[in-house]
Amino acid sequence: MPLLPISHNAAAAAAVGLSGTVVGSLAFVSFVDTKLLVKLSSKPGVLSEVFPVWWPYGRDWMVPLLTSTALSNALVYYLTKDAWWLVSVASAMSIASYTVAFMKEATIDPLMKGGTADEVSNFTQEFCRRHHPRLLFAIAGLVNGLSLLKLREV
């Protein structure tokens, strides 16, 4: 296999780096944030103050991150014509699609506006469980990108 131009290698490294950032972000959510939210689920008043601040910041971080991750992996596919890069594109897009389908703002009213203690507690448990599959999608995209990344001397 011939050496790729340095620009191709740089694009591939950036795409894999962004995929790694997605994994790190979602791992933090799964292993830290969800535990905080579950702990606060028994305190609906506190949760209804924390969640409306937490959710928009998370959304405002993840939307551009997932977009840039998908686009950077698509660029590497375009440059290399290696269709395996599309797996990493699909990974980022599946995370975004899953989030829209199962965690959209229209469904999180109990956490945004408060509710009864039981509503908030039950919904928080379910909401936190919904976070974890996104980490698996992200890991798949990162592992795929790492397997394609060829570090070469230039």
Side-chain angles (χ1 to χ4, degrees):
M1 177 176 213
L3 289 177
L4 293 175
I6 193 163
S7 61
H8 291 44
N9 283 333
V16 172
L18 286 167
S19 293
T21 303
V22 172
V23 169
S25 297
L26 292 176
F28 190 85
V29 169
S30 283
F31 296 109
V32 177
D33 288 348
T34 57
K35 291 181 182 187
L36 169 68
L37 295 174
V38 168
K39 184 80 169 171
L40 292 177
S41 69
S42 64
K43 301 174 183 176
V46 174
L47 189 59
S48 65
E49 288 183 39
V50 170
F51 193 84
V53 174
W54 174 83
W55 176 260
Y57 286 133
R59 177 199 60 216
D60 293 350
W61 167 250
M62 291 305 294
V63 168
L65 177 59
L66 290 171
T67 302
S68 59
T69 301
L71 290 175
S72 65
N73 279 282
L75 173 64
V76 179
Y77 161 70
Y78 175 78
L79 293 172
T80 65
K81 305 300 185 233
D82 185 344
W84 281 103
W85 285 101
L86 295 175
V87 171
S88 293
V89 173
S91 167
M93 291 175 60
S94 68
I95 294 164
S97 299
Y98 180 92
T99 303
V100 168
F102 296 106
M103 306 178 90
K104 59 188 170 189
E105 292 187 31
T107 65
I108 58 175
D109 276 349
L111 297 180
M112 293 296 279
K113 298 177 182 169
T116 69
D118 285 342
E119 285 175 332
V120 170
S121 180
N122 293 337
F123 191 86
T124 302
Q125 298 284 335
E126 183 59 31
F127 179 83
C128 290
R129 274 193 295 275
R130 291 180 194 165
H131 268 282
H132 304 307
R134 300 179 327 150
L135 178 56
L136 298 176
F137 298 154
I139 290 170
L142 176 60
V143 169
N144 179 70
L146 286 170
S147 73
L148 298 169
L149 190 60
K150 308 284 191 261
L151 299 177
R152 298 180 173 102
E153 291 182 32
V154 190

